[in-house]
Amino acid sequence: MDTKVLVVGAGPTGLLLACELALAGVRTQVIDKREDPHRESRALNLHPRSMELMDMRGLAGRFLAVGRTVPGWQFAAGLRRRLDFTALDTRHSYALLLAQSRTEELLSERARELGVEFHRGREAVGLRQDATGVDVEVSEGEGRPLTVRCAYAVGCDGGRSIVRQAGGIGFPGTDESMTAVVGDFAKADHSCNEQARRHGVLVARLEAGLTRFVVMDPQRLRVPSTEPVTVEEFRSSLIRVCGTDCGIGEPRWLSRFGNTTRLAETYRRGRVLLAGDAAHIHFPVGAQGLNTGLQDAMNLGWKLAATVRGWAPPGLLDTYHAERHPVGHAVTSGTRAQALLVELPLTEQYRYPATLLCTLLDDLLAMKDVNRYLAARISALDTAYPATSPDADPLVGRRMPDLGLTIPTGWAHVYGLLHDGRFLLLRLNGQGSALDPGDTDRAHRARTVTAVRHDEHPDLDGVREILVRPDGHIAWATRTTEPRALHAERAEALDAWTRTPSLDNG
């Protein structure tokens, strides 16, 4: 084999996936058709759950050092009230404004530290799979394509994914019916920011003195996304929408985007898998696209690594589709509803009733419980995966809270104990050895930590032990106090999730 896993696409999803695989000891190559990384800002926003994922791998500090935090984000343009992330149950109760190019730069840096191989200027043009691997045809420009043999190929190559098409995976959904324009400008009159926002224009201050504007102009709503954007058009649209051109000048990036919405029929077909925009595309309302892709990568990485290295429980890789496809469905369905909230007030025949609807929604967002519910949904903090058995503890499948812990070696947070990408067996009763007899062969896959004390959390009342997955979701939890029963439950959980390898192909 040329490589164990070939990741096609060096965007944020592909880069984080490559990091996860390499962290788990899997030989990984990344190819991308672009000769150079993106320089445009593109996607802008890392939500609380994505920052938690970075925290789990010791990367949050790198991102916070170059990004800017804001307390919330829009649910939909035209609503006065924003989602309040500060009320959420997380140490990362903010959105981090950071250009996608910087996100890719930071993840590329980490991938190289972990030994990931990069090949730019190489484009996947086809593939064939068999029982033992995948042959990916890769073009390097002129000349005959070369063939890369891999155990698994993962398409992180965007909405027009060649991997998805060559893998025969359908991509049903709805076509574009409206568009908006986005621009990053080195010059802007910030005294106009609030006036623009009152008229539904998204305005965000970026790094390096740039300002982003996103405008939906009723007169330009049906212009195809393939039509280039000019500064003159952008200025005219701002004047029509909010009465001022906001002093824009020196554009650094202009683009037009639409509301095409599609979801892959399956995230896995044999040895071919999809993640990020290759699996789901939608209108970027709520800034969920990049974040959903990062969460795909975190879910897939450890499962694919376990499969390649031979210790995956039966059916583990199939749970990638089972867990993430419903999330993709929820995001694509939700953004269609959010996009309608954007479109209707701009459509003359619906303008008045749509304005009444937006007023009602603003009133609802003023209610703390409603705002918290929608903020948790958009930020993905409420993502919970199906339990593995009907008698599982209610915590199973949910996100593990980042508790503060007093452990024998000092003080720690839960996410700080996940930096190495292993399972975490957390004993909250203050008792227990590092590993029970017979479990020492699992040490490379599961770390055991005993907490002498821990932060109180209402969801964890009575919980004695928790097995946390590498992606920060709960695999097993117990409230059993009888020692023999507790030992039996623990052994069963460890065997179900971290069994002894049958063959290490690392």
Side-chain angles (χ1 to χ4, degrees):
M1 299 254 181
D2 294 326
T3 186
K4 289 298 180 183
V5 178
L6 181 68
V7 176
V8 181
T13 300
L15 291 170
L16 181 58
L17 177 61
C19 289
E20 287 296 288
L21 292 165
L23 183 65
V26 174
R27 298 197 308 274
T28 304
Q29 292 184 19
V30 178
I31 64 171
D32 194 282
K33 65 181 180 180
R34 295 176 61 92
E35 293 283 352
D36 300 300
H38 284 292
R39 297 301 178 197
E40 305 92 352
S41 55
R42 301 167 70 86
L44 186 63
N45 192 315
L46 292 178
H47 283 331
R49 184 53 178 171
S50 294
M51 287 304 299
E52 287 188 342
L53 301 185
M54 299 307 160
D55 203 352
M56 290 175 201
R57 296 300 181 260
L59 301 175
R62 301 189 192 191
F63 284 82
L64 287 167
V66 294
R68 181 170 66 89
T69 62
V70 294
W73 200 245
Q74 284 185 327
F75 180 71
L79 298 181
R80 298 189 312 276
R81 295 189 181 274
R82 293 191 165 203
L83 300 175
D84 180 14
F85 290 162
T86 66
L88 297 176
D89 176 25
T90 174
R91 290 196 303 116
H92 299 282
S93 54
Y94 52 82
L96 186 72
L97 297 188
L98 185 66
Q100 181 175 327
S101 56
R102 295 302 299 274
T103 295
E104 292 177 5
E105 181 182 320
L106 292 171
L107 290 175
S108 294
E109 176 185 89
R110 179 55 176 159
R112 288 190 171 91
E113 291 171 0
L114 293 168
V116 174
E117 294 181 46
F118 284 87
H119 301 282
R120 289 196 169 273
R122 292 187 178 183
E123 180 179 8
V125 294
L127 63 81
R128 299 177 303 277
Q129 65 171 309
D130 54 42
T132 60
V134 186
D135 291 318
V136 181
E137 294 182 17
V138 178
S139 170
E140 292 186 285
E142 296 183 4
R144 192 172 177 181
L146 59 88
T147 299
V148 177
R149 178 73 173 176
C150 53
Y152 292 89
V154 186
C156 302
D157 50 340
R160 298 182 178 88
S161 171
I162 295 298
V163 173
R164 186 189 64 242
Q165 295 176 45
I169 298 174
F171 202 38
T174 59
D175 293 330
E176 176 182 290
S177 64
M178 67 171 180
T179 59
V181 292
V182 57
D184 295 344
F185 298 89
K187 286 186 176 181
D189 180 358
H190 297 299
S191 67
C192 300
N193 287 359
E194 288 309 313
Q195 178 179 343
R197 290 179 178 129
R198 285 197 302 271
H199 289 85
V201 177
L202 186 149
V203 184
R205 303 282 291 272
L206 309 182
E207 58 183 318
L210 298 180
T211 304
R212 168 165 296 184
F213 294 87
V214 179
V215 187
M216 296 198 70
D217 181 351
Q219 294 187 25
R220 305 286 291 170
L221 202 61
R222 312 304 173 190
V223 176
S225 58
T226 52
E227 183 173 315
V229 183
T230 65
V231 178
E232 291 73 20
E233 177 194 0
F234 212 103
R235 183 174 287 114
S236 297
S237 288
L238 277 172
I239 292 171
R240 273 194 297 271
V241 170
C242 60
T244 173
D245 69 357
C246 298
I248 59 170
E250 298 184 18
R252 294 293 181 264
W253 179 55
L254 298 172
S255 185
R256 196 185 314 272
F257 59 91
N259 64 334
T260 301
T261 303
R262 297 188 181 280
L263 178 66
E265 289 178 339
T266 181
Y267 284 16
R268 179 193 179 194
R269 177 152 293 164
R271 292 175 174 268
V272 175
L273 300 108
L274 304 174
D277 286 356
H280 41 76
I281 58 172
H282 52 82
F283 196 62
V285 63
Q288 297 167 83
L290 183 151
N291 291 280
T292 306
L294 292 175
Q295 293 147 26
D296 290 342
M298 198 73 164
N299 184 287
L300 175 59
W302 66 274
K303 296 175 179 179
L304 185 53
T307 302
V308 170
R309 294 186 65 86
W311 60 266
L316 179 66
L317 195 54
D318 288 329
T319 68
Y320 170 59
H321 169 85
E323 292 183 347
R324 294 304 300 173
H325 192 270
V327 173
H329 183 268
V331 170
T332 52
S333 299
T335 52
R336 288 184 68 184
Q338 290 169 269
L340 195 60
L341 286 174
V342 174
E343 181 180 8
L344 288 180
L346 303 175
T347 307
E348 187 171 354
Q349 71 181 107
Y350 299 118
R351 184 166 299 151
Y352 179 68
T355 301
L356 296 177
L357 176 61
C358 288
T359 300
L360 172 61
L361 290 174
D362 271 320
D363 290 342
L364 291 173
L365 282 172
M367 300 177 184
K368 291 182 178 180
D369 288 346
V370 174
N371 198 303
R372 188 181 298 111
Y373 169 81
L374 289 174
R377 178 172 177 175
I378 296 300
S379 67
L381 290 184
D382 71 346
T383 297
Y385 301 133
T388 52
S389 65
D391 58 346
D393 190 274
L395 290 174
V396 172
R398 292 169 57 183
R399 152 188 166 271
M400 177 66 193
D402 190 20
L403 300 179
L405 310 168
T406 301
I407 60 178
T409 56
W411 184 87
H413 277 104
V414 170
Y415 293 173
L417 301 173
L418 293 170
H419 287 184
D420 58 9
R422 288 187 290 170
F423 277 83
L424 172 65
L425 177 61
L426 185 60
R427 290 171 166 164
L428 299 176
N429 56 7
Q431 301 176 2
S433 57
L435 281 171
D436 289 338
D439 285 337
T440 54
D441 62 324
R442 304 183 192 275
H444 294 297
R445 301 182 298 286
R447 165 188 293 186
T448 300
V449 173
T450 298
V452 179
R453 285 186 296 275
H454 62 84
D455 290 345
E456 296 297 322
H457 195 285
D459 293 340
L460 301 180
D461 287 347
V463 175
R464 306 283 288 179
E465 296 189 8
I466 297 177
L467 183 63
V468 184
R469 300 175 1 171
D471 59 3
H473 284 260
I474 296 171
W476 166 78
T478 185
R479 300 166 202 264
T480 299
T481 57
E482 200 282 314
R484 289 187 179 181
L486 178 58
H487 182 278
E489 279 191 44
R490 180 194 311 127
E492 183 179 0
L494 286 169
D495 189 59
W497 287 98
T498 64
R499 67 183 193 143
T500 303
S502 56
L503 177 66
D504 191 331
N505 296 317

Coordinates of all heavy atoms in Angstrom, one line a residue, residues 77-78 177-179 216-222 241 259 338-356 358:
A77 N -30.2 36.5 9.4 CA -30.2 38.0 9.1 C -31.6 38.5 9.2 O -32.6 37.8 8.9 CB -29.6 38.2 7.8
G78 N -31.7 39.7 9.7 CA -33.0 40.3 9.9 C -33.6 40.3 11.3 O -34.5 41.0 11.6
S177 N -31.8 28.9 -5.3 CA -32.9 29.8 -5.6 C -32.7 31.2 -5.2 O -33.4 32.1 -5.6 CB -34.2 29.3 -5.0 OG -34.1 29.4 -3.5
M178 N -31.6 31.5 -4.4 CA -31.3 32.9 -4.1 C -29.8 32.9 -3.8 O -29.1 31.9 -3.5 CB -32.0 33.4 -2.9 CG -31.7 32.7 -1.6 SD -32.5 33.5 -0.1 CE -31.9 32.4 1.2
T179 N -29.2 34.2 -3.9 CA -27.8 34.3 -3.6 C -27.6 35.6 -2.7 O -28.4 36.5 -2.7 CB -27.0 34.4 -4.9 OG1 -27.4 35.6 -5.6 CG2 -27.1 33.2 -5.7
M216 N -27.6 40.9 1.3 CA -28.6 40.3 0.5 C -29.5 41.4 0.0 O -30.2 42.1 0.7 CB -29.5 39.3 1.3 CG -28.7 38.1 1.8 SD -29.7 36.7 2.3 CE -30.3 36.2 0.7
D217 N -29.4 41.7 -1.3 CA -30.0 42.8 -2.0 C -31.3 42.3 -2.7 O -31.1 41.4 -3.6 CB -29.0 43.4 -3.0 CG -29.6 44.6 -3.8 OD1 -30.8 44.9 -3.6 OD2 -28.8 45.2 -4.5
P218 N -32.5 42.7 -2.4 CA -33.7 42.2 -3.0 C -33.6 42.3 -4.5 O -34.2 41.5 -5.2 CB -34.8 43.1 -2.4 CG -34.3 43.6 -1.1 CD -32.8 43.7 -1.3
Q219 N -32.9 43.3 -5.1 CA -32.8 43.5 -6.5 C -31.8 42.5 -7.1 O -31.8 42.4 -8.4 CB -32.5 44.9 -6.8 CG -33.6 45.9 -6.5 CD -33.3 47.3 -7.0 OE1 -32.6 47.5 -8.0 NE2 -33.9 48.3 -6.4
R220 N -31.0 41.9 -6.3 CA -29.9 41.0 -6.9 C -30.1 39.6 -6.3 O -29.1 38.8 -6.4 CB -28.5 41.6 -6.5 CG -28.3 43.0 -7.0 CD -28.1 43.1 -8.5 NE -26.9 42.5 -8.9 CZ -26.6 42.2 -10.2 NH1 -27.4 42.5 -11.1 NH2 -25.4 41.7 -10.5
L221 N -31.2 39.3 -5.7 CA -31.4 38.1 -5.0 C -31.3 36.8 -5.9 O -31.0 35.7 -5.4 CB -32.8 38.1 -4.3 CG -33.0 37.2 -3.1 CD1 -32.0 37.5 -2.0 CD2 -34.4 37.4 -2.6
R222 N -31.7 37.0 -7.2 CA -31.7 35.8 -8.1 C -30.5 35.7 -9.0 O -30.5 35.0 -10.0 CB -33.0 35.8 -8.9 CG -34.3 36.1 -8.1 CD -34.5 35.1 -7.0 NE -35.6 35.4 -6.1 CZ -35.9 34.9 -5.0 NH1 -35.2 33.9 -4.5 NH2 -37.0 35.3 -4.3
V241 N -29.7 48.8 0.3 CA -30.2 48.0 1.5 C -30.2 48.9 2.8 O -31.1 48.8 3.6 CB -29.4 46.8 1.7 CG1 -29.7 46.1 3.0 CG2 -29.6 45.8 0.6
N259 N -28.0 29.2 -2.0 CA -28.6 28.3 -1.0 C -28.8 26.9 -1.4 O -29.7 26.2 -0.9 CB -30.0 28.9 -0.5 CG -31.0 29.0 -1.7 OD1 -30.6 29.1 -2.8 ND2 -32.2 29.0 -1.3
Q338 N -33.8 28.5 8.3 CA -33.1 29.8 8.6 C -33.0 30.7 7.3 O -33.2 31.9 7.3 CB -31.7 29.6 9.1 CG -31.7 29.0 10.6 CD -30.4 28.5 11.0 OE1 -30.0 27.4 10.8 NE2 -29.6 29.4 11.5
A339 N -32.7 30.0 6.2 CA -32.5 30.8 4.9 C -33.9 31.4 4.5 O -33.9 32.5 3.9 CB -32.0 29.8 3.8
L340 N -35.0 30.6 4.8 CA -36.3 31.2 4.5 C -36.6 32.4 5.3 O -37.2 33.4 4.8 CB -37.4 30.1 4.7 CG -38.7 30.4 4.1 CD1 -38.7 30.5 2.6 CD2 -39.7 29.3 4.5
L341 N -36.1 32.5 6.5 CA -36.2 33.7 7.4 C -35.5 34.8 6.8 O -35.8 36.0 7.0 CB -35.7 33.4 8.8 CG -36.6 32.5 9.7 CD1 -35.9 32.2 11.0 CD2 -38.0 33.2 9.9
V342 N -34.4 34.5 6.0 CA -33.6 35.6 5.4 C -34.3 36.0 4.1 O -34.4 37.2 3.8 CB -32.2 35.0 5.0 CG1 -31.4 36.1 4.2 CG2 -31.5 34.7 6.3
E343 N -34.9 35.1 3.3 CA -35.4 35.4 2.0 C -36.8 36.1 2.1 O -37.0 37.0 1.3 CB -35.5 34.1 1.2 CG -36.0 34.3 -0.2 CD -36.1 33.0 -1.0 OE1 -35.9 31.9 -0.4 OE2 -36.4 33.1 -2.2
L344 N -37.7 35.6 2.9 CA -39.0 36.1 2.9 C -39.2 37.6 3.1 O -39.9 38.3 2.4 CB -39.9 35.4 3.9 CG -40.2 33.9 3.5 CD1 -41.1 33.3 4.6 CD2 -40.9 33.8 2.2
P345 N -38.4 38.2 4.1 CA -38.6 39.7 4.2 C -38.0 40.5 3.0 O -38.3 41.7 2.9 CB -37.7 39.9 5.5 CG -37.6 38.6 6.2 CD -37.6 37.6 5.1
L346 N -37.3 39.8 2.2 CA -36.7 40.5 1.0 C -37.6 40.3 -0.2 O -37.3 40.8 -1.3 CB -35.3 39.9 0.7 CG -34.3 40.1 1.8 CD1 -33.0 39.4 1.4 CD2 -34.1 41.5 2.2
T347 N -38.7 39.5 -0.1 CA -39.6 39.2 -1.2 C -40.8 40.0 -1.0 O -41.5 39.9 0.0 CB -39.9 37.7 -1.2 OG1 -38.7 36.9 -1.3 CG2 -40.7 37.3 -2.5
E348 N -41.2 40.8 -2.0 CA -42.2 41.9 -1.8 C -43.5 41.3 -1.3 O -44.2 41.8 -0.4 CB -42.4 42.6 -3.1 CG -43.3 43.8 -2.9 CD -43.4 44.7 -4.1 OE1 -42.6 44.5 -5.1 OE2 -44.2 45.7 -4.1
Q349 N -44.0 40.2 -1.9 CA -45.3 39.7 -1.5 C -45.4 39.1 -0.1 O -46.5 39.0 0.5 CB -45.8 38.7 -2.6 CG -45.0 37.3 -2.5 CD -45.5 36.3 -3.5 OE1 -44.8 36.1 -4.5 NE2 -46.7 35.8 -3.3
Y350 N -44.2 38.8 0.4 CA -44.2 38.2 1.8 C -43.6 39.2 2.8 O -43.5 38.8 4.0 CB -43.4 36.9 1.8 CG -44.0 35.8 0.9 CD1 -43.2 35.3 -0.1 CD2 -45.2 35.3 1.2 CE1 -43.8 34.3 -1.0 CE2 -45.8 34.3 0.3 CZ -45.0 33.8 -0.7 OH -45.5 32.9 -1.5
R351 N -43.2 40.4 2.4 CA -42.4 41.2 3.3 C -43.1 41.5 4.6 O -42.5 41.4 5.7 CB -42.1 42.5 2.5 CG -41.2 43.5 3.3 CD -40.6 44.5 2.4 NE -39.8 43.9 1.3 CZ -39.7 44.4 0.1 NH1 -40.3 45.6 -0.2 NH2 -38.9 43.8 -0.8
Y352 N -44.4 41.9 4.5 CA -45.1 42.3 5.8 C -45.3 41.1 6.7 O -44.9 41.2 7.9 CB -46.4 43.0 5.4 CG -47.2 43.4 6.7 CD1 -46.7 44.4 7.5 CD2 -48.4 42.7 7.0 CE1 -47.4 44.8 8.6 CE2 -49.0 43.1 8.2 CZ -48.6 44.1 9.0 OH -49.2 44.5 10.1
P353 N -45.9 40.0 6.3 CA -46.0 38.9 7.2 C -44.7 38.3 7.7 O -44.5 37.9 8.9 CB -46.8 37.8 6.5 CG -46.6 38.2 5.0 CD -46.5 39.7 5.0
A354 N -43.6 38.4 6.8 CA -42.3 37.9 7.2 C -41.7 38.8 8.3 O -41.1 38.4 9.3 CB -41.4 37.8 6.0
T355 N -42.0 40.1 8.2 CA -41.5 41.1 9.2 C -42.2 40.8 10.6 O -41.5 40.8 11.6 CB -41.8 42.5 8.8 OG1 -41.1 42.8 7.5 CG2 -41.3 43.5 9.8
L356 N -43.5 40.4 10.5 CA -44.2 40.1 11.8 C -43.6 38.8 12.4 O -43.4 38.7 13.6 CB -45.7 39.9 11.5 CG -46.4 41.1 11.0 CD1 -47.9 40.8 10.7 CD2 -46.4 42.2 12.0
C358 N -40.5 37.7 12.0 CA -39.2 38.0 12.6 C -39.3 38.7 13.9 O -38.5 38.5 14.9 CB -38.4 38.9 11.6 SG -37.8 38.0 10.2

